[in-house]
Amino acid sequence: MAMPLWNEHDESYKEIHEIIVPHLGHIPIGKGDFHRLPRDVRHFIGHWVDILNPRTIYICDGSDDEAHEIISKLEERGTLHKLRKYENNYICRTDPKDVARVESKTYISTEDQYMSVPHVKEGTKGILGQWESPEVLNKDLEERMPGCMTGRTMYVIPFSMGPVGSPLSKIGIELTDSSYVVLSMRIMTRVTSEIWNVIRDHHEFVKCVHSVGCPRPVKWKVINHWPCNPEKTLIAHLPDKRMVISYGSGYGGNSLLGKKCFALRIAGRIAYDEGWMAEHMLIMSVTNPQGVEKFIAAAFPSACGKTNMAMLEPSLPGWKVQVVGDDIAWMRFDKNGVLRGINPERGFFGVAPGTNYKTNPNAMKTLLRNSIMTNIAEGDDGSFFWEGMEKEVDPDLMLTSWLGERFTVKEKGDRKAAHPNSRFCCPAEQCPIIHPKWEDPEGVPISALIFGGRRPEGIPVVMESFDWKHGVMLGASLKSEATAAAEFKGKVIMHDPMAMRPFMGYNFGKYLQHWLDFEDKPDLKLPKIFHVKWFRLDEQGKFVWPGFGENIRAIDWMLRRCDGEDIAEPSPIGLLPKKGSLNLDGINTDWNKMFNLPKDYLLGDIEETRKFLQEQTGTDLPKEILNQLSKQEERIKTMSTK
Ligand code: O2Y
Ligand code: MN
């Protein structure tokens, strides 16, 4: 392979570097002092300026003045539009071809294929990450990157995932030609010039390069002032190099590279190398009426209500929930063996439809100011609107849908006012129930890990794993009905092991072994692992569990288990609540429907899960997972048929 595009560490480059610096003199520095940046950063920028050929360079400092300047520019251009009913809230509509993460164009590239993906069974298409060889990736990038920022400003965004300077945090720099990305990264991460000092002290940073793929003059019609290049979209991860290169999409997870690309895929690999965990999990604290607080981390597949659970309003009196994070948890065992977690993000990038004052009043209150809403509808009174808000607004409110159609709320019918994957992006600190320790550099102590999914049949509302290994197997067996990616539209049940299927940055077999290995470290205080399913249906298709704020009842049970209360009994698939041990006062539920174990379903399910894991992970599947599956199957076989 010729020198790969991303490789800036050769001797000749060092010489060129000295030429590039003066050469930057010809490229106006729109803002910031390039020459005062740390040397490695100058190298990184200089290298990419040479390839991308931007018109000017803008070094971000994260200040409010900077945001105002960029917002004014985007308003002038028509990309952003103020929602006048609120303070500093903006709406943005994308090209309708650029509305979600694109899993099929997302790749992991390492010299060794099996560092990125498992040995899938021959003839099977792997769904736990896509590998591309460095040679092919380099070719793909050579076709896309050179000159792709011609005529555009290249923003340099220094950001920290996690509180700046925390031992649990990591630094990144994103080069992007999208000012929408700059504004969103300001909300979702900590963007500040302090980062340069952290890099001077520690040197390490994750390199993120993003372009919408529309050099000027653009050869096609730009829709909604949203430049993008969907036919050529490519989101590439180079975990060995701690690098992400994204091209063609300006949307969400494809372009806000601190989020899924860095905080899950690259950080996942860093965590593997360094002995910690980067997970698709919310972190919340729960305080019982006696004033005892515990923190839990919970993994749910995309679009399964993680944000709602993280901000739950407990239905039981005297309980309090506070949120630390709604999507990603970085967790590490401290010197006392306690698992401590941080939310590496600084904002919420939540799915708008379905969010309302009933399902998530705290999210609704969080997004009343300083937020950016993408692909939602706008009311003529300058308000935001999306599906799920119908009962909370005037039915005569005239809307402009995300596609520009005009209708009132009551005329809407089946038409979509907002895109199903439309998003709000708002600062976490504005959440009325943000935990006072949400930015604690030490992280918060995690007492319980929860896995859950949205699937109609079979699995009980709540159960506890027999032990750590069994819990890892339960996580690996996770399935769900929903996803936020562009490719999946129907309500098919998909495997989403550990809720990480779209976010794996390295071989899933090694990932499972990494989890299992924690059990062998005697000094660690391993949290209990639970499985929940809020969405169980009965034979009539009715939910057997009320969900939302009532989920506190299952959480109460789990936390009492963490305190060692004798309220669980073994079943073939895990420890279930002893009858009567779940607080069901005041709600109408049928214990049997919540906890019955349909033998045939469970046997079929375990067989199918084993097949899936064997096909997808092949020889990389840890023996212990197979062992756990076999033991579970044997236990189920001994059940009497119901
Ligand atoms: O569609 C996107 O680009 C965003 S996906 C997303 C955003 C916030 C939190 N989680 C997700 C996800 O897909 O899990
Ligand atoms: Mn997510």
Side-chain angles (χ1 to χ4, degrees):
M1 173 171 64
M3 182 63 73
L5 207 65
W6 53 82
N7 200 342
E8 71 196 57
H9 290 295
D10 66 302
E11 286 311 303
S12 59
Y13 175 67
K14 275 187 196 140
E15 280 165 40
I16 296 168
H17 174 71
E18 302 308 323
I19 302 162
I20 280 180
V21 178
H23 166 69
L24 282 176
H26 302 296
I27 296 181
I29 305 284
K31 188 181 155 191
D33 189 347
F34 177 80
H35 297 274
R36 297 183 75 155
L37 300 181
R39 186 172 185 279
D40 290 356
V41 177
R42 295 201 310 268
H43 251 248
F44 170 54
I45 298 174
H47 176 78
W48 283 97
V49 162
D50 240 16
I51 296 169
L52 306 170
N53 188 38
R55 178 174 56 81
T56 174
I57 298 168
Y58 188 111
I59 301 165
C60 299
D61 61 16
S63 65
D64 287 346
D65 284 352
E66 178 176 283
H68 292 144
E69 184 188 330
I70 296 175
I71 287 170
S72 306
K73 199 174 90 186
L74 287 183
E75 276 187 294
E76 234 170 73
R77 208 186 279 162
T79 313
L80 278 192
H81 167 73
K82 195 165 190 331
L83 285 167
R84 64 180 188 284
K85 199 166 167 187
Y86 319 93
E87 190 191 327
N88 207 24
N89 268 8
Y90 293 88
I91 179 172
C92 172
R93 291 200 195 111
T94 71
D95 181 324
K97 290 199 286 304
D98 190 21
V99 291
R101 285 189 289 109
V102 194
E103 289 183 13
S104 56
K105 310 274 180 72
T106 300
Y107 296 95
I108 315 288
S109 184
T110 42
E111 285 295 341
D112 172 5
Q113 173 176 358
Y114 299 109
M115 193 58 223
S116 293
V117 290
H119 290 79
V120 292
K121 194 177 155 197
E122 232 186 285
T124 304
K125 178 167 171 16
I127 65 162
L128 299 169
Q130 288 195 97
W131 175 77
E132 192 164 72
S133 72
E135 285 78 10
V136 174
L137 176 61
N138 190 46
K139 206 171 127 282
D140 286 346
L141 292 173
E142 288 279 10
E143 278 171 20
R144 289 166 172 79
M145 305 309 284
C148 69
M149 289 192 189
T150 300
R152 295 192 180 274
T153 299
M154 183 178 94
Y155 297 91
V156 178
I157 312 174
F159 64 98
S160 176
M161 299 308 291
V164 180
S166 157
L168 298 169
S169 301
K170 297 279 174 199
I171 298 296
I173 299 178
E174 179 161 346
L175 310 180
T176 179
D177 52 10
S178 161
S179 30
Y180 167 88
V181 166
V182 177
L183 294 177
S184 306
M185 285 288 283
R186 281 186 87 247
I187 298 174
M188 295 304 297
T189 74
R190 283 123 180 131
V191 177
T192 155
S193 306
E194 282 172 58
I195 302 297
W196 307 129
N197 292 332
V198 182
I199 293 176
R200 265 184 212 105
D201 292 345
H202 300 287
H203 293 280
E204 279 176 2
F205 59 95
V206 172
K207 296 172 179 172
C208 303
V209 181
H210 167 253
S211 171
V212 292
C214 294
R216 288 200 170 106
V218 186
K219 298 201 183 85
W220 56 88
K221 189 168 166 348
V222 173
I223 297 171
N224 287 340
H225 309 280
W226 182 269
C228 59
N229 194 344
E231 281 79 41
K232 289 256 157 110
T233 293
L234 179 70
I235 299 111
H237 303 73
L238 293 138
D240 290 335
K241 304 251 167 222
R242 314 299 198 222
M243 185 162 195
V244 183
I245 306 173
S246 168
Y247 178 94
S249 165
Y251 199 83
N254 303 331
S255 67
L256 312 181
L257 300 186
K259 195 170 181 53
K260 304 298 187 179
C261 298
F262 175 169
L264 286 175
R265 299 191 190 98
I266 298 292
R269 171 59 196 282
I270 299 175
Y272 175 73
D273 292 344
E274 295 180 355
W276 51 281
M277 299 182 226
E279 302 299 331
H280 191 207
M281 289 183 176
L282 64 85
I283 304 180
M284 66 199 276
S285 103
V286 184
T287 307
N288 70 14
Q290 292 71 46
V292 180
E293 178 179 57
K294 285 195 170 55
F295 291 89
I296 58 186
F300 288 80
S302 301
C304 272
K306 254 195 352 279
T307 306
N308 292 353
M309 178 170 164
M311 297 178 197
L312 173 155
E313 291 258 284
S315 63
L316 294 174
W319 286 81
K320 186 165 88 178
V321 161
Q322 289 174 297
V323 57
V324 174
D326 78 326
D327 194 41
I328 298 175
W330 286 358
M331 297 179 292
R332 200 187 277 253
F333 289 94
D334 69 12
K335 60 180 185 315
N336 300 315
V338 174
L339 185 63
R340 303 195 75 94
I342 61 164
N343 168 13
E345 302 191 277
R346 189 178 168 231
F348 305 127
F349 192 72
V351 185
T355 306
N356 58 44
Y357 280 95
K358 181 160 176 282
T359 59
N360 196 341
N362 290 309
M364 294 302 278
K365 290 173 202 159
T366 308
L367 47 82
L368 294 177
R369 59 205 157 91
N370 306 321
S371 303
I372 301 176
M373 323 258 167
T374 306
N375 287 339
I376 59 146
E378 181 181 358
D380 273 5
D381 59 353
S383 60
F384 52 74
F385 178 87
W386 47 73
E387 275 62 29
M389 289 179 63
E390 290 84 347
K391 293 197 184 128
E392 297 175 0
V393 300
D394 177 357
D396 290 316
L397 177 67
M398 179 57 83
L399 302 172
T400 305
S401 80
W402 80 284
L403 289 171
E405 304 146 302
R406 302 271 297 158
F407 43 75
T408 63
V409 174
K410 71 175 180 225
E411 290 164 356
K412 190 175 95 63
D414 290 339
R415 286 173 291 187
K416 292 267 182 254
H419 184 276
N421 192 41
S422 56
R423 297 276 169 167
F424 53 81
C425 178
C426 54
E429 67 182 358
Q430 291 178 190
C431 181
I433 59 158
I434 195 74
H435 198 283
K437 287 194 176 160
W438 81 284
E439 296 197 278
D440 188 331
E442 301 301 316
V444 295
I446 305 291
S447 298
L449 299 175
I450 303 175
F451 291 103
R454 182 191 282 266
R455 50 192 288 199
E457 279 181 277
I459 308 295
V461 168
V462 57
M463 66 177 168
E464 179 186 333
S465 68
F466 294 120
D467 54 26
W468 182 261
K469 293 190 282 276
H470 182 240
V472 177
M473 183 275 279
L474 291 180
S477 308
L478 216 63
K479 291 182 185 179
S480 195
E481 180 174 89
T483 175
E487 290 88 345
F488 307 102
K489 298 221 161 56
K491 288 208 162 184
V492 276
I493 308 261
M494 290 176 72
H495 283 275
D496 195 341
M498 314 294 272
M500 284 290 283
R501 182 190 53 76
F503 309 121
M504 280 310 303
Y506 68 103
N507 182 320
F508 183 67
K510 292 183 194 291
Y511 166 92
L512 286 178
Q513 192 59 54
H514 181 58
W515 266 74
L516 291 167
D517 286 347
F518 287 111
E519 192 172 51
D520 301 332
K521 304 197 172 99
D523 298 335
L524 303 186
K525 299 182 179 87
L526 296 174
K528 279 186 178 292
I529 301 182
F530 297 90
H531 187 285
V532 299
K533 206 188 71 168
W534 312 136
F535 306 97
R536 187 168 175 163
L537 301 177
D538 66 12
E539 306 79 50
Q540 279 74 47
K542 274 180 53 193
F543 286 111
V544 304
W545 179 250
F548 300 110
E550 306 291 0
N551 290 336
I552 195 68
R553 297 165 190 271
I555 294 173
D556 166 31
W557 185 84
M558 291 186 266
L559 297 185
R560 280 155 62 210
R561 283 298 298 150
C562 291
D563 285 337
E565 268 193 55
D566 180 18
I567 49 173
E569 61 190 9
S571 85
I573 63 168
L575 298 168
L576 297 186
K578 283 186 179 169
K579 200 154 186 179
S581 67
L582 204 56
N583 178 352
L584 300 176
D585 292 352
I587 53 168
N588 190 12
T589 50
D590 179 332
W591 187 274
N592 195 40
K593 285 185 179 173
M594 291 192 297
F595 291 108
N596 78 325
L597 302 177
K599 180 173 179 176
D600 290 344
Y601 172 80
L602 291 172
L603 278 177
D605 190 53
I606 207 142
E607 198 182 318
E608 195 275 327
T609 300
R610 184 194 288 115
K611 183 168 174 283
F612 167 80
L613 289 173
Q614 280 180 325
E615 283 179 358
Q616 287 293 328
T617 329
T619 48
D620 294 307
L621 184 63
K623 298 276 168 301
E624 186 54 43
I625 297 292
L626 282 173
N627 179 32
Q628 289 294 328
L629 286 165
S630 301
K631 283 183 167 163
Q632 184 105 330
E633 187 173 39
E634 287 313 308
R635 286 190 298 263
I636 299 170
K637 279 184 184 161
T638 62
M639 287 167 64
S640 58
T641 313
K642 279 198 202 153

